[in-house]
Amino acid sequence: MSLFTRSRQQPDSTGDGAKPDDDAGGAEPDGGRTAAESDGGAAEAAADGPVTSADSDKDTGEAEPDGGTATGDSDSGTSVGAGNSGGDIGSDGAAAEADSESGTGTTGPDEKPATTDPDGGTGTADSDGDAAAPDTAAGSAARAEGDGAHGQEVSPDEAPGSVRAGWFGWRRRYPRTARGVSIGTTVLAGALVFFALLVPNQMEKIEFASFVRIPAEGVLLAGLLLALPPRARRITAVVSGAFLGLVTILKFVDMGFYQVLARPFDLVLDWILIENATDFLRETFGRTGQVLAVVGVIVLFVAVLVLTTLAMVRLTNLMVSHRPVAARTTLVLGTAWITAMTLGVQVGSVPFATKGNAEFLGNRVEQVRAGLKDARVFQKQAAVDAFAKTPPDQLLTGLRGKDVLFTFIESYGRVAIDDPAMAPQIDSVLKEGTSSLKAAGFESRSGWLQSPVTGAGSWLAHSTFLSGLWIKNQQRYRSLTTSDRMTLTNYFGKTNAWRTVGVVPGVRRAWPEGKYFGLDHIYDSEHLGYHGPYFSWTPVPDQFSMEAFQRLEHGKKDREPIMAEIILASSHNPWSPIARMIDWEDLGDGSVFHQIKKEGTNPTEVWKDPEKVRTEYRHAIEYSLRSLTEWIERYGDEDTVLVFLGDHQPVPTVTAGDTGKDVPITIVAKDKKVLDRVADWGWTDGLKPAENAPRWGMDKFRDRFMTAYGPQG
């Protein structure tokens, strides 16, 4: 389109001029020449100052006898004839300036020298073929003037190839700096897009070789952008940039989930966990820490989304302005990708040719489909219950008259027993516990269970253990807790032979799901009589929780048998600071723990070093085990049956890459008949399961336990 189109031309105020018939230009009554336009370039002829502008493959600039200057543009081709005035043009951020009074001009570092006409007019042509536009004393308009005729006015920013002044006109004042900023911004844009295309979604996979690859998606997108017409290209650049930002954000979220749960984020089922994460931040680092972390995450995500969009638009403009080079480069990269993929070329252990983003998104699509289908699958599984029609008087007959305690130790995973860095200390605690319990008349058997989760999600493990169903996500948990599926605790209550209670010190607010588990009474953190401090996330130390259970339920006289679900929380992430064992007589109302907390470690400092995290985790497990074994040694009797287990493995920082989900489980009893009923399970004697001890899914325990302690057990 011509620089001065018909719609923007103004009537000749002298009446001497005639409007051209079309955008290509027309003959003027005073003998002016024609202006030709090619590839969007324009030429404008003044009445007494004939100017000729042509767009060609080669930059040209010629002096006109009457003071006009012709400039040629090899790409966008905009030219303006001027008499007795200077030119101002930018090329990639550089500017050429001319003084309209003196008719002299200066060239930018990358521009061609100006051509001067006999009347003193000066024009400039830059190396990219952009034409010079005049700069008046006010610096706000471009004019083409002739003797006896008024020219057209246009803002410099409206003219193709003109330089924007920038903030406060700094681009014109500092052309070299402007060019450097332009180049630097382009390089950063390319680096950002390159990073977004190649970054893995797991932190342990981020290495130098990850970024020495050719992404198929990038090559295909470059080819598409070069082939599209301008309007469609602009839309595609914006949409693809925003989409790439969303994919990058999803990869960042995956990194967090892998660090805590050793699995990727589920787009259908995991949104509830974001709320749980913010609660954990508040309870661990305080309200200020929570707010700062949430604001930081939001700012990061918005920045990624905006910057990837702007970067994609900038790179698209760069490719279009250098179309031949961009096309050749895209063709070369595409050929290299096909060759490397065919030959299996690798950089270290990483394939040189990658289609990782396509695979990443394909996996997410399948994940969403599976999540939507899972609800129907789970509904069918929940409808099958081998004990649903069993009469109450035939349930759990082998445990009548016993106090049965199902106790979960937070994050007590197989790594605590198998890891060489922890095994010696944990093994010592387990051996000591086995010996002291045996001296008190107790025997124990231990095995392995496989948890549905790792790193976090304790409630999913608890409900799997109690319901006999594989509760691997929040959707299943909600379906379970709104159904009539009977759990292990429900069956104890159904017999009317036990009072069922829950000791859940980790619960700080309303827990409506508690009613589903059929517990007669629930003691949360506010109802255990504790007046000591929180230990990071942990509201009540394990030793105090066990003592509170003794005081509130187990130690009462003339009571009925108790079935208790107890969830010990001291070994909950972040494991700093942690409590230590004290004399049971000194526990009081828990105020003694204020001083103990002051003596503990700082979680902020601990989490700077993975080895310190692992050490504090080990200390926490030792404390939980001692709290439990000392309680049963102190308060257990002939009618006490203790079943304790871990709910899941700790976070990957502690497991050091181990993706296993095994947790130990142990049964402790003084009555030999209780353990005789599980003799055929093949479990290991003592509190420590052997490496080759039986390993079941956690969902299998309910039915095996009820069978062993039923009439046929």
Side-chain angles (χ1 to χ4, degrees):
M1 179 179 288
S2 173
L3 176 61
F4 304 117
T5 62
R6 180 183 301 171
S7 63
R8 299 180 65 173
Q9 289 178 345
Q10 301 175 3
D12 189 341
S13 61
T14 66
D16 294 335
K19 297 180 181 179
D21 291 336
D22 54 37
D23 287 343
E28 295 291 343
D30 293 333
R33 298 175 184 176
T34 62
E37 174 181 350
S38 175
D39 287 335
E44 186 69 29
D48 293 327
V51 180
T52 302
S53 173
D55 186 6
S56 67
D57 292 334
K58 184 175 182 181
D59 293 335
T60 61
E62 298 179 0
E64 294 293 318
D66 294 330
T69 301
T71 61
D73 185 354
S74 62
D75 288 321
S76 58
T78 302
S79 65
V80 178
N84 297 323
S85 63
D88 181 12
I89 186 64
S91 172
D92 293 333
E97 301 179 339
D99 186 344
S100 62
E101 297 295 334
S102 64
T104 60
T106 62
T107 62
D110 296 322
E111 297 174 13
K112 294 181 179 178
T115 60
T116 307
D117 66 26
D119 294 334
T122 304
T124 61
D126 69 0
S127 60
D128 290 337
D130 292 335
D135 187 8
T136 66
S140 63
R143 300 178 181 273
E145 297 181 337
D147 296 333
H150 294 287
Q152 311 289 337
E153 279 193 15
V154 62
S155 169
D157 288 344
E158 294 176 354
S162 65
V163 159
R164 294 183 180 178
W167 292 340
F168 309 109
W170 74 274
R171 288 182 182 273
R172 289 195 178 105
R173 292 197 301 272
Y174 307 105
R176 291 181 181 274
T177 302
R179 181 173 177 80
V181 170
S182 178
I183 294 174
T185 304
T186 301
V187 171
L188 290 176
L192 177 60
V193 171
F194 194 66
F195 173 85
L197 286 169
L198 292 177
V199 65
N201 65 336
Q202 299 181 48
M203 293 187 67
E204 58 268 21
K205 290 185 178 181
I206 297 179
E207 54 182 315
F208 176 76
S210 301
F211 300 99
V212 188
R213 297 186 291 172
I214 301 177
E217 302 82 9
V219 176
L220 292 174
L221 181 59
L224 176 64
L225 290 171
L226 288 171
L228 289 173
R231 181 178 178 83
R233 180 171 58 244
R234 287 193 295 270
I235 295 174
T236 302
V238 172
V239 172
S240 59
F243 184 73
L244 183 60
L246 291 174
V247 171
T248 305
I249 290 172
L250 182 56
K251 289 181 179 179
F252 286 163
V253 175
D254 272 2
M255 290 180 191
F257 267 68
Y258 273 110
Q259 288 298 107
V260 177
L261 301 176
R263 64 172 178 82
F265 176 71
D266 192 311
L267 288 167
V268 176
L269 307 171
D270 281 344
W271 295 102
I272 185 63
L273 299 182
I274 295 177
E275 180 184 355
N276 294 334
T278 60
D279 289 344
F280 171 78
L281 289 172
R282 184 185 67 251
E283 293 155 357
T284 302
F285 302 107
R287 182 68 176 176
T288 301
Q290 177 199 32
V291 171
L292 290 176
V294 171
V295 170
V297 168
I298 293 175
V299 170
L300 174 63
F301 285 2
V302 171
V304 168
L305 192 61
V306 172
L307 291 176
T308 52
T309 303
L310 295 177
M312 185 63 71
V313 171
R314 188 175 186 88
L315 292 181
T316 300
N317 292 337
L318 180 66
M319 288 193 301
V320 172
S321 64
H322 300 81
R323 187 183 297 273
V325 175
R328 288 194 298 270
T329 303
T330 302
L331 181 60
V332 169
L333 290 176
T335 303
W337 188 93
I338 294 173
T339 303
M341 178 62 71
T342 303
L343 299 178
V345 179
Q346 291 189 327
V347 180
S349 60
V350 179
F352 182 65
T354 177
K355 51 181 179 178
N357 288 290
E359 294 173 349
F360 175 76
L361 294 174
N363 291 337
R364 287 314 163 92
V365 171
E366 290 302 316
Q367 183 189 66
V368 170
R369 289 178 179 173
L372 296 175
K373 186 189 299 184
D374 185 64
R376 297 190 297 271
V377 174
F378 181 72
Q379 187 177 11
K380 293 179 180 179
Q381 293 174 348
V384 179
D385 188 344
F387 299 92
K389 298 181 180 180
T390 303
D393 61 352
Q394 296 183 30
L395 293 170
L396 302 163
T397 53
L399 293 172
R400 297 298 174 100
K402 305 293 184 184
D403 295 320
V404 183
L405 283 58
F406 295 103
T407 306
F408 295 91
I409 299 179
E410 171 68 35
S411 299
Y412 178 34
R414 185 163 189 160
V415 66
I417 293 176
D418 287 354
D419 190 287
M422 306 181 204
Q425 295 87 345
I426 298 297
D427 186 62
S428 177
V429 173
L430 293 174
K431 284 183 177 179
E432 178 186 336
T434 300
S435 298
S436 60
L437 288 177
K438 193 167 186 177
F442 290 92
E443 297 291 338
S444 53
R445 303 285 186 275
S446 299
W448 302 105
L449 296 180
Q450 183 184 27
S451 176
V453 294
T454 184
S458 300
W459 63 96
L460 303 180
H462 301 165
S463 54
T464 295
F465 180 82
L466 297 173
S467 70
L469 295 172
W470 195 249
I471 312 300
K472 61 182 180 180
N473 55 52
Q474 192 67 17
Q475 177 176 272
R476 288 192 167 205
Y477 179 75
R478 287 178 173 174
S479 297
L480 174 69
T481 54
T482 55
S483 71
D484 57 359
R485 170 80 177 190
M486 294 287 286
T487 65
L488 195 54
T489 51
N490 291 128
Y491 278 122
F492 271 93
K494 184 178 179 180
T495 65
N496 291 318
W498 284 273
R499 170 175 166 79
T500 59
V501 300
V503 179
V504 287
V507 175
R508 312 170 165 75
R509 57 186 179 183
W511 184 39
E513 297 93 339
K515 296 180 181 179
Y516 164 74
F517 293 100
L519 301 172
D520 296 326
H521 191 82
I522 295 176
Y523 296 95
D524 60 20
S525 61
E526 300 297 322
H527 297 89
L528 292 174
Y530 180 68
H531 295 280
Y534 276 32
F535 283 79
S536 290
W537 183 90
T538 306
V540 184
D542 290 349
Q543 186 181 10
F544 190 93
S545 296
M546 295 305 302
E547 179 65 23
F549 170 64
Q550 176 65 23
R551 170 171 38 87
L552 296 170
E553 290 288 343
H554 188 265
K556 289 183 177 180
K557 296 181 179 180
D558 301 325
R559 60 171 176 78
E560 58 187 320
I562 298 170
M563 188 239 72
E565 178 189 359
I566 303 173
I567 303 174
L568 300 180
S570 286
S571 51
H572 193 289
N573 183 345
W575 310 298
S576 175
I578 57 174
R580 57 176 172 79
M581 295 297 296
I582 62 175
D583 193 294
W584 292 81
E585 301 294 340
D586 296 335
L587 288 171
D589 65 356
S591 298
V592 66
F593 286 102
H594 282 287
Q595 181 58 37
I596 295 175
K597 181 179 180 179
K598 292 179 181 179
E599 298 169 358
T601 55
N602 184 331
T604 304
E605 294 299 320
V606 167
W607 278 82
K608 293 179 181 179
D609 184 351
E611 288 306 313
K612 289 182 179 179
V613 175
R614 288 159 57 81
T615 298
E616 293 305 298
Y617 165 78
R618 173 175 59 79
H619 289 160
I621 295 298
E622 291 175 15
Y623 173 73
S624 296
L625 289 171
R626 286 196 170 100
S627 296
L628 194 55
T629 56
E630 286 190 19
W631 181 89
I632 195 170
E633 182 183 354
R634 180 181 178 89
Y635 296 114
D637 56 29
E638 189 73 24
D639 293 325
T640 303
V641 177
L642 171 66
V643 179
F644 73 90
L645 67 153
D647 49 13
H648 54 70
Q649 287 262 63
V651 296
T653 303
V654 176
T655 60
D658 182 3
T659 58
K661 296 183 178 181
D662 290 356
V663 296
I665 181 169
T666 300
I667 297 179
V668 181
K670 184 173 285 189
D671 187 348
K672 189 175 181 298
K673 294 179 182 178
V674 172
L675 294 179
D676 286 345
R677 284 183 173 252
V678 297
D680 61 345
W681 287 4
W683 285 15
T684 308
D685 288 343
L687 302 182
K688 177 185 175 182
E691 183 178 355
N692 61 349
R695 174 176 172 267
W696 307 336
M698 195 175 278
D699 58 329
K700 305 301 181 184
F701 181 83
R702 189 203 74 158
D703 287 4
R704 287 178 180 265
F705 184 85
M706 293 186 66
T707 299
Y709 292 103
Q712 305 301 320

